Amino acid sequence: MSLPAVVPAPVSIEAGSGAPFRLSSDTVVNGDTDAATALSAIVAARTGLTLATGEGRDIELRVDPGAGAAESYRIAADEASVVVTGADAAGLFYGVQTLGQLIARDGDGWTIPAVTIEDAPRFAYRGVMLDVARHFHPVETVIGYIDRAASLKFNALHLHLTDDQGWRIQLHSRPELTEKASGTSVGGGPGGFYTKADYRAIVQYAASRHMIVVPEIDMPGHTHAVGLAYPELAEDPSISDHMREIIRDYGGEEPRVGAPYDGMAVGFSSLKIHDEATYDFVADVFGELAAMTPGPYLHFGGDESLSTSDEDFAVFVARASGIIADLGKTPVAWHEAGAAAGIADTTIGQYWGFLTPQEGAAEKATAFVDNGARLILSPADAIYLDMKYPDGPELGLTWANGPTSVQRAYSWEPSLVVPGIDDSGILGVEAPLWTETIRTAADIDTMAFPRAAAAAEAGWSPATGASDLRTWASFRERVGALGPLWKSMGIGFHPSDEIPWATE
């Protein structure tokens, strides 16, 4: 008997020998109200059926704090009943997502196979990143992405809120950031920003799906927009031959002082490192952001500061990470910041280098672990979701050894990326989606799915080789079986010809 398709792969799954549980309009779900609501929505989208609520025990959803580790769950299904037990509310929610994947058409009806699943995450942090600076994406699009990510057991949404092309978050302490620096995007689009109420709505919705929000304010580079609002804080653009090559290849004009930037070059901007007003700005921005963000992490960027000397970069990283740590938050920075000797020792590093580290990236990433902190792994040539597909649309870029196939997005092992860093030094996995070419919610779906599922499995499932399910051959079959569910949920995934997509 073949096993039912579950993504990400669970710790253990055993098919029962009995008949399946049959769903109908008379099926009763009881137990945790939030989980029942989530399950009812999945069942309605997948089958058109409306589950009843009451005293019956057809489907029971419950939390048992003694049932296992944080976020873990168990499913026991047979012909008579289905019981989903979570060790906590998040575990129960993830069990419900798995249960939704188990629903299958059986003739004219719908069934859940007889099965026992025991499951828990490998890593505590499992994130997706959405860049809303290069192209702004409204609240409803972000909420839709939260739903899609949560269905794959991601538990963090990293929002890249600022870049050279625009500032996207309202702050009362620095009102001119959105008044003067939010109106443009790559290619001359209209821009936009989140009000404080918008951001609160995103944070609250994410929490309802057991996700935290990790806001990123990128600095000291990627800060041309800051100079539009507060020119006294920003250095003049520094244009290198490499940046001119990017401008030649991708279009746009060279950045100019005081003018909005809508091109794709990087590395030309910097805050003034030795001006105390800069650190007053950093304190204002992150202080207000900390008060708005219940999650533990504040991301200060630190990448591609190509026009800042190594010495000045180290000074800035030490000051900025210290300001965040003093706020009671955990700083997060891209791996380049690991080179700064004075970085706050609690700072989490986010590795965005290649699967085979290049040009000192491994050493910089390792420095975070040497400090006693950990790494988030985002290898660009595996799980940067904005890289082109080999067989896909014209969306996306190719600089990260692209195009990136679904197989390459799947076929990597987190503990083997940075030499010497095993699971004890890894906080988790995050799949970024940069939006230089991504303008709509439909674009996000196309580029993220199915490759986000590969990243989800790297973050949640047992290590490669520790389970018979953790193979490319298994994954392509399992993710292909999700096609009908994704369609019913309105996910416009890319129908990659690498995957044998089920039709029903």
Side-chain angles (χ1 to χ4, degrees):
M1 179 180 295
S2 62
L3 293 171
V6 175
V7 178
V11 171
S12 70
I13 179 169
E14 296 181 6
S17 58
F21 178 87
R22 294 197 168 273
L23 285 168
S24 73
S25 57
D26 295 325
T27 299
V28 176
V29 58
N30 72 73
D32 184 270
T33 302
D34 290 341
T37 300
L39 178 61
S40 295
I42 296 171
V43 170
R46 181 74 177 98
T47 71
L49 296 171
T50 300
L51 298 180
T53 57
E55 297 303 317
R57 296 178 61 84
D58 295 336
I59 301 177
E60 184 176 357
L61 308 176
R62 63 193 187 194
V63 173
D64 177 1
E71 300 183 294
S72 65
Y73 68 90
R74 183 177 191 272
I75 296 177
D78 57 28
E79 184 177 9
S81 66
V82 178
V83 179
V84 184
T85 305
D88 50 25
L92 182 57
F93 177 82
Y94 297 137
V96 164
Q97 302 307 310
T98 296
L99 188 60
Q101 293 181 1
L102 296 175
I103 297 170
R105 185 180 287 280
D106 184 0
D108 294 331
W110 299 91
T111 62
I112 294 170
V115 69
T116 300
I117 296 175
E118 302 273 359
D119 205 6
R122 177 182 179 185
F123 295 118
Y125 183 102
R126 306 173 305 279
V128 291
M129 189 216 76
L130 183 61
D131 169 19
V132 296
R134 272 51 177 272
H135 279 101
F136 180 69
H137 294 275
V139 172
E140 55 268 27
T141 297
V142 177
I143 283 175
Y145 199 41
I146 289 170
D147 275 333
R148 287 152 165 73
S151 75
L152 291 170
K153 304 181 177 68
F154 287 106
N155 65 358
L157 172 67
H158 171 182
L159 284 178
H160 184 77
L161 289 166
T162 66
D163 216 295
D164 294 310
Q165 296 83 1
W167 185 281
R168 309 301 186 200
I169 184 70
Q170 180 187 44
L171 298 175
H172 291 331
S173 62
R174 296 282 178 161
E176 291 180 304
L177 289 166
T178 45
E179 291 170 5
K180 297 182 178 180
S182 66
T184 54
S185 60
V186 166
F193 67 91
Y194 304 116
T195 65
K196 291 174 77 75
D198 290 337
Y199 184 77
R200 186 182 309 113
I202 291 169
V203 168
Q204 291 174 346
Y205 192 84
S208 77
R209 299 301 185 265
H210 301 280
M211 296 180 75
I212 60 169
V213 172
V214 180
E216 180 187 357
I217 306 296
D218 205 349
M219 52 179 66
H222 291 271
T223 47
H224 185 80
V226 174
L228 301 182
Y230 298 98
E232 68 277 11
L233 300 179
E235 300 284 4
D236 291 348
S238 176
I239 313 300
S240 68
D241 289 341
H242 171 66
M243 296 170 202
R244 292 188 178 95
E245 290 176 7
I246 295 174
I247 292 167
R248 182 194 65 219
D249 292 344
Y250 294 101
E253 302 293 329
E254 290 189 7
R256 294 181 293 108
V257 174
Y261 182 68
D262 63 8
M264 290 169 53
V266 297
F268 58 84
S269 57
S270 179
L271 298 177
K272 291 184 176 178
I273 305 301
H274 297 286
D275 192 329
E276 281 302 309
T278 293
Y279 302 101
D280 292 340
F281 173 80
V282 173
D284 287 347
V285 166
F286 282 109
E288 189 165 348
L289 198 59
M292 298 161 59
T293 305
Y297 304 114
L298 295 181
H299 203 306
F300 68 93
D303 61 318
E304 296 175 320
S305 297
L306 306 182
S307 61
T308 307
S309 71
D310 291 346
E311 294 77 14
D312 283 358
F313 180 73
V315 169
F316 181 86
V317 165
R319 293 285 299 272
S321 62
I323 287 169
I324 293 171
D326 287 345
L327 290 167
K329 296 291 188 178
T330 299
V332 185
W334 299 103
H335 71 254
E336 292 98 316
I343 191 170
D345 58 13
T346 56
T347 307
I348 300 296
Q350 185 164 1
Y351 175 82
W352 64 275
F354 291 173
L355 290 171
T356 300
Q358 300 177 342
E359 300 174 355
E363 292 77 11
K364 293 171 184 175
T366 299
F368 293 94
V369 180
D370 291 343
N371 285 342
R374 288 185 287 174
L375 289 175
I376 297 167
L377 297 178
S378 300
D381 53 347
I383 55 171
Y384 263 36
L385 303 178
D386 54 297
M387 292 296 107
K388 286 181 181 291
Y389 290 98
D391 61 341
E394 288 304 307
L395 293 170
L397 303 173
T398 59
W399 62 264
N401 289 335
T404 300
S405 65
V406 182
Q407 182 173 3
R408 192 167 82 195
Y410 183 81
S411 300
W412 64 286
E413 163 53 40
S415 66
L416 299 179
V417 173
V418 181
I421 304 300
D422 60 15
D423 283 19
S424 65
I426 300 171
L427 180 64
V429 171
E430 181 178 288
L433 179 56
W434 303 97
T435 61
E436 287 93 340
T437 69
I438 311 303
R439 294 171 172 81
T440 67
D443 291 346
I444 292 172
D445 274 0
T446 297
M447 299 305 284
F449 290 86
R451 292 181 298 188
E457 193 144 307
W460 177 279
S461 302
T464 304
S467 165
D468 291 342
L469 297 180
R470 283 288 278 125
T471 67
W472 164 243
S474 169
F475 175 78
R476 66 188 293 269
E477 296 289 338
R478 287 183 287 112
V479 82
L482 296 186
L485 174 62
W486 284 355
K487 286 180 180 178
S488 71
M489 294 171 66
I491 299 175
F493 60 91
H494 170 56
S496 169
D497 58 14
E498 300 173 75
I499 307 298
W501 297 104
T503 57
E504 188 43 76

